[in-house]
Amino acid sequence: MTDHTQRWIELRRRERQADGTWSCHYVIFEFGPRAWRCKKGSADGTFSTLEEAEAAALTLAQQIVDSLQTSPPLDRKRHA
């Protein structure tokens, strides 16, 4: 069975806090053959630069996407 699901990550809501630190939120969009959904989140903590916040959010979102990938089909060779 093949997986016809398409996923992509969008970084949103880059926020500078009152103390000068940054946070960044991600949205993972997932489009399947019959429906779509999204998951929102952000990396834990705050970061000293916007680039660090974006990198942390992207890394976390990519880990989630990687965990959603389907496993390869099982080898169904007959054993004698």
Side-chain angles (χ1 to χ4, degrees):
M1 181 181 215
T2 55
D3 181 14
H4 296 292
T5 302
Q6 296 179 358
R7 298 176 184 95
W8 78 78
I9 299 167
E10 212 175 273
L11 297 180
R12 294 188 172 174
R13 287 187 44 210
R14 296 157 179 91
E15 298 174 338
R16 188 167 190 178
Q17 309 300 316
D19 64 359
T21 59
W22 289 86
S23 64
C24 181
H25 300 261
Y26 63 82
V27 180
I28 301 169
F29 293 94
E30 183 175 19
F31 293 88
R34 295 187 181 164
W36 70 275
R37 63 183 176 172
C38 67
K39 176 173 178 45
K40 300 176 185 179
S42 62
D44 289 336
T46 55
F47 303 89
S48 59
T49 67
L50 174 59
E51 291 78 18
E52 289 174 349
E54 289 175 332
L58 184 59
T59 298
L60 180 58
Q62 187 62 55
Q63 290 172 348
I64 293 168
V65 168
D66 290 346
S67 73
L68 297 172
Q69 301 299 326
T70 58
S71 302
L74 295 174
D75 184 7
R76 298 186 184 254
K77 292 181 183 176
R78 290 185 168 207
H79 298 293

